[in-house]
């Protein structure tokens, strides 16, 4: 699925950006492919169809929820194009939870403009209040006994956690009603111990809380959610020990923070877990370079983390990723 229709435009745009002349009259990217209402199956089918040939560019937008498109706009400022995937978060701080509607509205806009939609949720531990600071609320440790109570029906912590999940259902339902499938990535990096849900392998650990959330959201009719399971590139390996099972997972994803890019062994480990499911790089700090894009061709999308876009990359590195012939940006993602 090569992109000859935008090749000349990209070359002109790249030249203009290098010369500092990018503006309304030069090298416009392809017009946005506006998305109508779709099912989750159409997005999964699309990710499978591009596997091995192309990869969708993505950019995360972290807090504040009052500015849910600030980092995708930075991509546009640098490259002249918007990412093919917009990433947002259901948030944790009180002022951001109060602005969740802004995040949902942005998701609808991004979808309408022709970008895939991804949502992460840095949820506060049910051992504390429903809104929290990152340190001590999301980035916190709970005891194994507390975790067991959270995943055991009838306990006070389980009741609290179910109420916490119920708080975000109306927001996710808006996206369902609008026909917006969501690449939904809860309990990310569950093989790490910085977060309250993490570091618990086996059937009664991270896999169980993931399964229970899917069961609950399914019971609420949220059949627009594409369930993205996620681990970090921890060199200790054993990532499959956190896997909730094929019936609970739609996309298998990796966050890359121990190094710039996934190793060949990381890439193989993800494929072994995923089987025929799409795989993705759900977080990384470095814009993919040509070597990664040409050697690890089965990643279906990548998502650069918020402030890392400019903090960890030169404009040229970002442009090289977005202008690479394998990379699909907004306007180039064509759903079945």
């Amino acid at each position: 699925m090569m992109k000859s229709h935008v090749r000349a435009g990209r070359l002109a745009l790249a030249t203009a950006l290098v010369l500092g002349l990018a503006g309304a009259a030069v090298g416009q990217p392809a017009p946005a492919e506006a998305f109508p209402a779709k099912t989750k199956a159409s997005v999964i089918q699309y990710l499978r169809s591009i596997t091995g040939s192309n990869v969708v560019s993505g950019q995360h937008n972290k807090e504040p929820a009052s500015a849910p498109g600030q980092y995708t706009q930075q991509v546009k400022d640098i490259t002249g194009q918007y990412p093919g995937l917009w990433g947002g978060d259901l948030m944790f701080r009180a002022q951001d939870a109060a602005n969740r509607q802004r995040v949902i509205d942005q998701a609808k806009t991004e979808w309408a403009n022709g970008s895939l939609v991804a949502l992460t949720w840095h949820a506060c531990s049910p051992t504390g209040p429903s809104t929290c600071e990152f340190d001590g609320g999301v980035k916190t440790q709970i005891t194994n006994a507390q975790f067991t109570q959270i995943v055991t029906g009838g306990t006070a912590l389980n009741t609290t956690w179910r109420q916490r999940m119920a708080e975000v259902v109306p927001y996710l339902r808006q996206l369902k009603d609008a026909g917006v499938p969501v690449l939904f990535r809860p309990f990310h990096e569950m093989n790490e111990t910085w977060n309250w849900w993490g570091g618990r392998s086996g059937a009664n650990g991270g896999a169980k809380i993931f399964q229970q959330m899917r069961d609950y959201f399914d019971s609420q009719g949220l059949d627009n959610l594409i369930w993205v399971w996620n681990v970090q590139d921890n060199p200790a390996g054993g990532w499959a020990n956190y896997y909730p099972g094929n019936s609970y997972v739609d996309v298998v994803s990796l966050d890359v923070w121990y190094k710039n890019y996934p190793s060949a062994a990381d890439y193989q480990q993800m494929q072994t877990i995923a089987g025929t499911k799409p795989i993705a790089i759900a977080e990384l700090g470095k814009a993919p370079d040509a070597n990664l894009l040409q050697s690890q061709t089965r990643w279906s999308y990548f998502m650069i983390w918020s402030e890392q876009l400019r903090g960890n990359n030169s404009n040229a590195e970002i442009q090289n990723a977005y202008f690479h012939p394998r990379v699909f940006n907004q306007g180039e993602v064509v759903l079945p």
Side-chain angles (χ1 to χ4, degrees):
M1 298 178 68
M2 296 304 291
K3 305 178 297 185
S4 57
H5 64 292
V6 296
R7 191 62 39 225
R10 279 197 176 182
L11 290 171
L13 181 61
T15 302
L17 285 163
V18 169
L19 296 174
L21 299 173
V26 292
Q28 289 299 304
E33 177 79 22
F35 289 160
K38 290 281 186 179
T39 63
K40 66 179 278 183
S42 66
V43 173
I44 296 170
Q45 180 184 341
Y46 173 75
L47 294 178
R48 281 184 162 148
S49 75
I50 65 169
T51 292
S53 59
N54 294 96
V55 59
V56 176
S57 60
Q59 177 62 47
H60 187 64
N61 295 266
K62 70 173 191 179
E63 66 277 0
S66 58
Q70 61 172 323
Y71 294 102
T72 38
Q73 184 58 48
Q74 288 180 18
V75 171
K76 177 68 157 60
D77 294 344
I78 294 165
T79 69
Q81 303 193 45
Y82 285 108
L85 176 147
W86 168 89
D89 199 313
L90 291 173
M91 307 287 184
F92 46 93
R93 290 195 182 99
Q95 62 266 40
D96 295 317
N99 265 322
R100 279 177 177 147
Q101 189 59 50
R102 295 282 294 275
V103 175
I104 299 305
D105 291 344
Q106 187 73 32
K108 292 177 184 176
T109 296
E110 298 287 348
W111 176 261
N113 288 342
S115 287
L116 302 178
V117 168
L119 283 176
T120 304
W121 187 15
H122 285 83
C124 301
S125 170
T127 57
S130 64
T131 58
C132 63
E133 289 300 308
F134 182 76
D135 287 316
V138 180
K139 183 182 179 182
T140 190
Q141 276 71 51
I142 63 175
T143 67
N144 287 333
Q146 288 172 317
F147 184 86
T148 298
Q149 290 176 47
I150 292 169
V151 296
T152 301
T155 67
L157 282 176
N158 179 262
T159 299
T160 298
W161 178 235
R162 292 182 73 83
Q163 291 169 343
R164 194 79 37 99
M165 290 191 290
E167 290 173 7
V168 302
V169 167
Y171 296 103
L172 297 172
R173 187 171 285 135
Q174 287 184 50
L175 295 175
K176 170 191 161 59
D177 292 344
V180 179
V182 178
L183 289 152
F184 185 58
R185 188 176 64 113
F187 311 115
H188 64 296
E189 301 181 7
M190 67 167 60
N191 61 329
E192 295 294 321
T193 56
W194 63 264
N195 52 64
W196 61 266
W197 59 81
R200 294 176 174 88
S201 60
N204 293 313
K208 176 169 273 192
I209 200 169
F210 188 101
Q211 291 166 345
Q212 289 183 349
M213 177 178 276
R214 173 153 193 183
D215 288 342
Y216 174 67
F217 282 172
D218 281 355
S219 78
Q220 299 301 303
L222 298 175
D223 56 6
N224 62 316
L225 301 183
I226 300 160
W227 288 83
V228 181
W229 174 79
N230 179 259
V231 287
Q232 197 178 132
D233 61 330
N234 190 314
W239 304 339
N241 296 328
Y242 297 84
Y243 190 60
N246 287 336
S247 63
Y248 281 91
V249 174
D250 299 309
V251 176
V252 171
S253 73
L254 182 68
D255 288 1
V256 186
W257 291 115
Y258 283 85
K259 49 197 178 297
N260 285 341
Y261 301 123
S263 67
D266 294 342
Y267 180 54
Q268 184 56 55
Q269 191 172 178
M270 294 304 284
Q271 291 179 84
T272 299
I273 295 168
T276 60
K277 296 179 186 296
I279 62 172
I281 303 176
E283 291 181 22
L284 79 170
K286 285 297 292 183
D289 63 8
N291 181 61
L292 175 71
L293 292 168
Q294 290 162 2
S295 65
Q296 299 184 11
T297 59
R298 292 188 61 82
W299 301 115
S300 58
Y301 64 86
F302 64 82
M303 188 176 78
I304 298 173
W305 189 255
S306 302
E307 75 283 358
Q308 295 281 327
L309 177 72
R310 278 183 158 147
N312 202 19
N313 299 281
S314 67
N315 283 2
E317 287 173 320
I318 299 164
Q319 290 164 7
N320 288 341
Y322 272 76
F323 298 154
H324 192 280
R326 291 195 64 245
V327 175
F328 279 165
N329 307 320
Q330 188 184 90
E332 300 168 335
V333 177
V334 182
L335 297 179

